[in-house]
Amino acid sequence: MLFLTHCGGGEKVEPVAVNLSGESITEVVAPEVTIVQARLGQLPLRRQTNGNLRARREITISSQIGGVLTLAPVEGKYYRRGDTLAVTDLRPVRLAVDRAMAAREEAAFRHRDLLLRLSINLPPGDTVLPRLARDNALIQSGLPAAEVALREAHYALTQAIQLAPFAGRAAEVEAQAGQLVGVGEEICTLIDPTSLEAEFTLLEQEIPRLDQGHRITVSPLALPEVKIPATLDIVNPRVNDGGLLRVRARLGNTGSHRLYPGMNVMVTIAGHSDEAVLLPKEALVLRSGRPVVFTYDEESARAKWQYVSVLHENDEMIAVGEGVEPGASVIVSGNLNLDHDARVIVKVK
C-alpha cells in the first residue's frame, strides 16, 4: 500500500491510501467529541399547568324575607364589613313589631288580672299564691307566647336589612330597588378581592413531592409578564377518574394589578426530583426510538453506547435511572452519528 499526495495548485489535501492495484482507499478520521462527568444529584424541575382564580371568601346574598326592595346593591361597589347591601320594605315588618308589642301588653294585662283575682280568693292569713296557681295564671294569660311572637317580629325586622358580613365587592346583582323578591331569592354575590387563590389540578403522582406551604408562581394569561407569588394551601383529598387532584394556592401580594375571580392563569411549580444520575440534555440521542447515551472508554479511546431510562428532564439536564453510573465520562457533543465502539478523539476544552 502506498500513500500519495497531490501538489498542484498549492492546495493542501489529506493524504489518501493506495493499494498495490492502484485503487484509492479513504482513511477514516476519528470524530472529535466533548465529555462531561455524570454526577448524582437532584434535578431542578418546573411544572406548569393552567388554572383559574377564585375567591376563597365569596357568598351569595339572598333575601331573608319577602317584600319590595327599597335599597339594592350596586354592582362593582366596594362595601366595608357591616355596610348595608339591601333593604326590604320595612313598613310591613315594623307593623308586625307594633302588633306583637300590643299583643304582649294585652297578655301582660290578663296575667296581672288573673293574679289579682286569685289573691282575692286566698284563705285568711295567706298572702302568697301557690306556685302552681301562678304558673297556671301565666299560661292562661298567653304572655309567654306573646313574648315569643314579639322576638320573632324583631328578628324579622333585622332580616329585612342585609349587611355585608365581610369587606368586598358586589357582583352579579340580580335584583333592583322596587323589585318584589321572595324568600331565598338571590340578590347579589359578595366577593372579597383580598382572598384570591389559584385553583388547578395535578397528577396524583406529583402530590407526594409537594407539601402545604410549597411556594409557586401564578401568572394571569392576560398579563403574562406579571409573576405573583403564591403558597400551596389546600389539596382536595379525592382523586377524580382522570387521576387528578384539585389543588388551591393562596395568592400573595398582587400589587396594583386588577385580578378577578374566573381569570385564567398559568401556575408554575418549582421542585426537585429524587436523587438520580444527572446528565446534560445534549448527551441523549435516539437509536431505533430508544434513548441512548454514549460513554467514553479512556483505555480503548472508544465510544460505548448505553441504553438509559429517563426519569425527569428540564430545559438543560436529564435524570436517568439506569444505564450510566456516577462518575462515568459521557459524550455530549459529536455524538449524533456515533456507533457503538467507534474510535473518538476527546476535544480538550
Side-chain angles (χ1 to χ4, degrees), residues 252-264:
N253 182 18
T254 59
S256 59
H257 305 293
R258 291 188 177 183
L259 304 178
Y260 304 99
M263 291 182 74
N264 295 313

Side-chain angles (χ1 to χ4, degrees), residues 130-187:
R131 181 180 180 85
L132 179 60
R134 295 199 307 272
D135 291 345
N136 288 339
L138 181 63
I139 294 172
Q140 289 177 5
S141 68
L143 183 58
E147 289 179 339
V148 171
L150 180 58
R151 289 199 297 271
E152 288 179 341
H154 278 297
Y155 178 72
L157 183 60
T158 62
Q159 294 297 95
I161 303 174
Q162 297 281 348
L163 303 179
F166 53 80
R169 294 190 182 278
E172 299 176 2
V173 176
E174 302 289 345
Q176 304 297 326
Q179 180 178 333
L180 180 65
V181 295
V183 178
E185 188 170 337
E186 293 184 7
I187 297 176

Side-chain angles (χ1 to χ4, degrees), residues 61-132:
I61 305 296
S62 301
S63 174
Q64 301 300 307
I65 63 172
V68 176
L69 284 182
T70 57
L71 177 67
V74 179
E75 191 154 88
K77 182 179 177 180
Y78 186 82
Y79 291 87
R80 295 187 299 270
R81 181 181 178 182
D83 284 353
T84 301
L85 289 171
V87 178
T88 307
D89 191 355
L90 296 176
R91 290 172 296 180
V93 287
R94 281 174 174 165
L95 288 173
V97 170
D98 291 342
R99 285 195 299 271
M101 292 181 65
R104 184 193 179 283
E105 291 299 323
E106 291 178 4
F109 172 79
R110 289 194 298 270
H111 183 226
R112 292 192 298 269
D113 184 63
L114 287 171
L115 291 177
L116 180 60
R117 291 172 184 274
L118 291 173
S119 62
I120 292 175
N121 296 325
L122 284 174
D126 289 345
T127 58
V128 179
L129 288 172
R131 181 180 180 85
L132 179 60

Side-chain angles (χ1 to χ4, degrees), residues 272-285:
H272 292 84
S273 70
D274 296 332
E275 191 172 74
V277 177
L278 304 184
L279 306 172
K281 215 166 185 178
E282 296 80 9
L284 188 68
V285 294

